[in-house]
Amino acid sequence: MKRLVCALLCAMLLLFACAQAEEMPVRVASLKGPTSMGLVKLMQDAKEGASANEYTFAVEGTADAIAPLLVRGELDIALVPCNLASVLYNNTKGAVQVVAINTLGVLYVVEAGETVNRVEDLAGKTIYSTGKGTTPEFALNYVLEKNGLDPEKDVTVEFKSEATEVASALLNDAAAIAVLPQPYVTAVLAQNQDLRVALSLTEEWDRVGDGSAMITGVAIVRTEFAQQNPQAVADFLKEYAASTEYVNENPAEAAVWIEELEIAKAAIAEKAIPACNIVCISGAEMMEKVSGYLSALYAQNPEAVGGTLPDEAFYYLGEVA
């Protein structure tokens, strides 16, 4: 009888533990900017209990605030710069995998005046930028080098910790030139009519990129989480794809949610969304695009991707539910 009671208690505890595990929310973190803008419909659905998964969301100003949490297992999914995903994969010996591209090129060169009309015109200039060690730095360096400029000698780049600081420098210095992502580009243009978009780094990359494409951000998942919760990952990919589609098709409504996250004012966000290249590309297409982008960065600077190109295990190719 005691054995039977013990067996029943163990079974009940196991069922309770399983039920608790199923109720655990998927913990997601993303960056202020386009990487979070594509999430806002999913955030609303989760808040209303209309999503397949339960979620918690955190929106951070820098990737440095996200990466340690992911490595420590305090996050399940993170939306981060593409090259950082590769660095984390290499540094953690495969503890993360990339599941989707969430943003293509969103970087622009902005100035007051007409001094910059081609990449070569940046020679001798001081350029404000954010993202040292991530996409903005490597994208700018790649485009400069492909146009015959040495990023170390021919230009001076002053890095700021956040895009808001770059925008402030641009607005306060009439001679400033800056590399800015959307939606900050739209915001500064609205505040100063003398400013203009001089170059699209996406277009410049495409012009010299040997078939590769610029990728600003990706969604990554902890490998352990993906192995233990394949359905949750599949549901996330399906729901995130629907969220990005909704944002692109309904910019006015999405802009209200974006303002609530303090990413940009609704009027700015609505105008910026079409230029933000918000996507959700997974599977084989994701693998092809990400590997091409990382190869371009590796050729420029191996440390940009963590010293070596990631192997095929880096790419999560599970089916969307």
Side-chain angles (χ1 to χ4, degrees), residues 216-245:
T216 299
V218 295
I220 58 176
V221 63
R222 282 191 301 111
T223 303
E224 182 181 20
F225 178 84
Q227 291 171 345
Q228 295 176 354
N229 303 275
Q231 188 59 51
V233 176
D235 287 338
F236 168 77
L237 287 172
K238 182 178 180 180
E239 294 181 314
Y240 183 45
S243 181
T244 58
E245 182 178 353

Side-chain angles (χ1 to χ4, degrees), residues 78-306:
L79 280 60
V80 298
C82 186
N83 77 293
L84 177 60
S86 178
V87 171
L88 288 174
Y89 178 80
N90 284 324
N91 290 348
T92 62
K93 298 181 179 180
V96 300
Q97 292 176 287
V98 60
V99 295
I101 299 168
N102 61 56
T103 339
L104 297 172
V106 298
L107 296 170
Y108 299 84
V109 176
V110 180
E111 71 158 349
E114 300 285 339
T115 67
V116 178
N117 295 289
R118 55 179 189 157
V119 174
E120 291 88 339
D121 293 337
L122 293 172
K125 300 290 198 301
T126 295
I127 305 168
Y128 293 100
S129 182
T130 186
K132 184 171 179 57
T134 61
T135 300
E137 179 182 14
F138 297 125
L140 178 60
N141 286 353
Y142 181 81
V143 168
L144 289 172
E145 289 176 354
K146 287 290 187 177
N147 284 275
L149 298 180
D150 185 335
E152 297 293 328
K153 298 178 181 179
D154 295 327
V155 300
T156 300
V157 182
E158 292 191 14
F159 286 101
K160 304 293 184 180
S161 61
E162 295 191 28
T164 52
E165 296 178 43
V166 177
S168 178
L170 190 63
L171 290 168
N172 293 323
D173 182 355
I177 297 171
V179 172
L180 267 178
Q182 288 287 5
Y184 301 99
V185 172
T186 301
V188 296
L189 293 181
Q191 294 178 66
N192 185 345
Q193 294 183 351
D194 292 331
L195 293 173
R196 71 180 184 95
V197 173
L199 299 170
S200 163
L201 288 189
T202 302
E203 292 178 1
E204 296 301 328
W205 183 295
D206 290 345
R207 189 170 63 82
V208 298
D210 301 325
S212 66
M214 185 189 296
I215 298 173
T216 299
V218 295
I220 58 176
V221 63
R222 282 191 301 111
T223 303
E224 182 181 20
F225 178 84
Q227 291 171 345
Q228 295 176 354
N229 303 275
Q231 188 59 51
V233 176
D235 287 338
F236 168 77
L237 287 172
K238 182 178 180 180
E239 294 181 314
Y240 183 45
S243 181
T244 58
E245 182 178 353
Y246 188 93
V247 169
N248 285 321
E249 293 180 355
N250 301 274
E253 184 176 0
V256 175
W257 300 326
I258 290 167
E259 181 171 342
E260 290 174 358
L261 291 175
E262 299 182 350
I263 295 172
K265 294 294 185 182
I268 298 298
E270 182 178 355
K271 292 180 181 178
I273 285 171
C276 285
N277 282 323
I278 297 168
V279 298
C280 180
I281 301 172
S282 57
E285 183 182 359
M286 173 267 292
M287 181 176 179
E288 179 182 4
K289 289 183 179 298
V290 170
S291 62
Y293 174 72
L294 294 178
S295 294
L297 294 190
Y298 179 81
Q300 174 197 145
N301 177 6
E303 294 308 311
V305 300

Side-chain angles (χ1 to χ4, degrees), residues 66-78:
I66 294 176
L69 299 177
L70 191 71
V71 172
R72 293 199 299 264
E74 297 174 28
L75 292 172
D76 303 312
I77 295 172

